[in-house]
């Protein structure tokens, strides 16, 4: 099964993708996480991406398309995967369609998590995440049991450097300018669904699973 999660910064893509990965036993491909790992390891990709990410801009399409194209050939993705944060522009979506066509695979569900800017900014400026295992928390809606400590692995939680109000605003502007046009790109497809992501994590998860399970029985 192949799932694509679209949505603004703070819509809950990562949160829902992690739940779906565990519920459907699918690998979770987060382009944001892959880029952050590359930045931390100071690889060629990381060095190219760092400046864009720090200022809230999107990394160029050719870099992202190369990354995904290489990844889709790995054996661990043969049985399907969840794409979180890709595609993010119309050229990325066109490139992804071409990659799928070349490999004879089709996407099962394209899920837009829809959230308004005010709520997204509120969520992101309260987000904490674990630099070691990737677990995500929120000081308003999803606290760790011990403040500042990861429930899963016990590491010290950190705030993402691009979660300042100023950079979140810039990321949201990029979303509106470059990613929102994907709604029109995908609107006519049977696989495309828009979900109100302004509700609780559990409510969103329930709707997402209902859509996926209905689609599977189609
Ligand atoms: P990326 O890491 O993908 O960031 P993003 O898209 O801005 O999304 P976020 O991770 O901030 O939000 P999310 O929707 O995953 O929300 P989350 O579940 O964490 O990308 C970072 C950067 O990398 C980009 O700016 C760009 O530079 C670059 N990049 C990545 N992909 C790219 C691409 N394809 N092309 C070009 N550049 C690319 O939730 C947020 C918070 O809210 C958490 O605290 C969570 O606990 C809480 N929360 C989640 N859901 C709910 C809910 N329903 N109710 C209450 N709280 C909730």
């Amino acid at each position: 099964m192949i799932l694509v999660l679209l949505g603004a910064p703070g819509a809950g893509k990562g949160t829902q993708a992690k739940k779906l990965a565990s519920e459907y036993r699918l690998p979770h491909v987060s382009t944001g996480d892959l880029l952050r790992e590359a930045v931390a390891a100071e690889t060629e990709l990381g060095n190219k991406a760092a400046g864009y990410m720090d200022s809230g801009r999107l990394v160029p399409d050719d870099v992202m398309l190369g990354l995904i194209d290489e990844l889709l050939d790995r054996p661990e993705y043969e049985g399907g995967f969840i794409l979180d944060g890709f595609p993010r522009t119309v050229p990325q979506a066109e490139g992804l369609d071409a990659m799928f066509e070349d490999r004879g695979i089709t996407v099962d569900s394209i899920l837009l998590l829809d959230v308004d800017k005010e709520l997204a900014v509120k969520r992101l400026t309260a987000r904490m995440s674990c630099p070691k295992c990737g677990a995500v928390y929120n000081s308003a809606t999803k606290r760790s049991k011990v403040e500042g400590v990861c429930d899963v692995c016990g590491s010290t939680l950190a705030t993402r450097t691009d979660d300042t109000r100023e950079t979140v605003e810039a990321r949201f502007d990029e979303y509106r300018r470059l990613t929102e046009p994907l709604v029109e790109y995908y609107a006519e497809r049977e696989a495309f669904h828009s979900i109100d992501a302004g509700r609780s994590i559990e409510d969103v998860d329930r709707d997402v699973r209902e859509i996926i399970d209905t689609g599977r029985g189609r």
Side-chain angles (χ1 to χ4, degrees):
M1 179 160 63
I2 298 175
L3 307 175
V4 171
L5 292 184
L6 308 174
K13 302 179 297 297
T15 301
Q16 295 299 331
K18 284 190 181 80
K19 286 176 90 62
L20 294 172
S22 129
E23 286 154 4
Y24 294 95
R25 296 175 192 278
L26 286 171
H28 171 198
V29 181
S30 157
T31 44
D33 287 347
L34 291 172
L35 291 170
R36 277 183 288 280
E37 281 162 25
V39 171
E42 298 182 14
T43 63
E44 195 186 333
L45 169 67
N47 293 337
K48 267 190 206 158
Y52 292 98
M53 296 174 79
D54 283 345
S55 58
R57 286 172 301 148
L58 292 186
V59 174
D61 288 334
D62 59 333
V63 176
M64 298 310 299
L65 285 162
L67 174 70
I68 295 294
D69 199 24
E70 184 270 322
L71 207 120
L72 291 187
D73 286 332
R74 295 191 197 161
E76 61 263 42
Y77 300 116
E78 259 171 25
F81 47 85
I82 303 169
L83 280 180
D84 157 12
F86 185 94
R88 238 148 143 135
T89 64
V90 170
Q92 289 183 17
E94 289 168 347
L96 186 66
D97 280 343
M99 287 179 221
F100 283 175
E101 201 179 324
D102 284 351
R103 291 166 174 87
I105 52 179
T106 47
V107 61
D108 293 271
S109 298
I110 302 163
L111 305 162
L112 171 73
L113 301 182
D114 192 24
V115 73
D116 66 45
K117 182 175 177 179
E118 204 182 319
L119 182 57
V121 172
K122 215 166 159 183
R123 284 183 184 170
L124 292 180
T125 49
R127 172 167 62 184
M128 300 284 284
S129 40
C130 177
K132 192 161 173 220
C133 74
V136 176
Y137 302 89
N138 192 287
S139 60
T141 58
K142 192 174 175 252
R143 288 170 169 276
S144 56
K145 288 184 190 114
V146 178
E147 200 181 330
V149 179
C150 179
D151 293 347
V152 182
C153 71
S155 300
T156 303
L157 300 180
T159 301
R160 258 170 59 176
T161 52
D162 61 349
D163 276 350
T164 60
R165 189 171 187 103
E166 191 192 357
T167 312
V168 168
E169 299 254 358
R171 283 158 59 199
F172 216 94
D173 291 345
E174 284 283 85
Y175 173 76
R176 290 231 165 103
R177 194 168 66 86
L178 295 167
T179 310
E180 235 169 36
L182 284 182
V183 175
E184 201 182 321
Y185 182 85
Y186 284 128
E188 298 302 316
R189 299 202 190 176
E190 205 178 344
F192 179 75
H193 300 271
S194 175
I195 294 141
D196 173 6
R199 297 167 299 144
S200 72
I201 292 172
E202 293 69 30
D203 283 356
V204 176
D205 176 53
R206 194 197 51 237
D207 281 11
V208 165
R209 279 189 290 118
E210 199 177 305
I211 289 167
I212 293 171
D213 293 341
T214 308
R216 285 211 294 187
R218 212 164 26 216

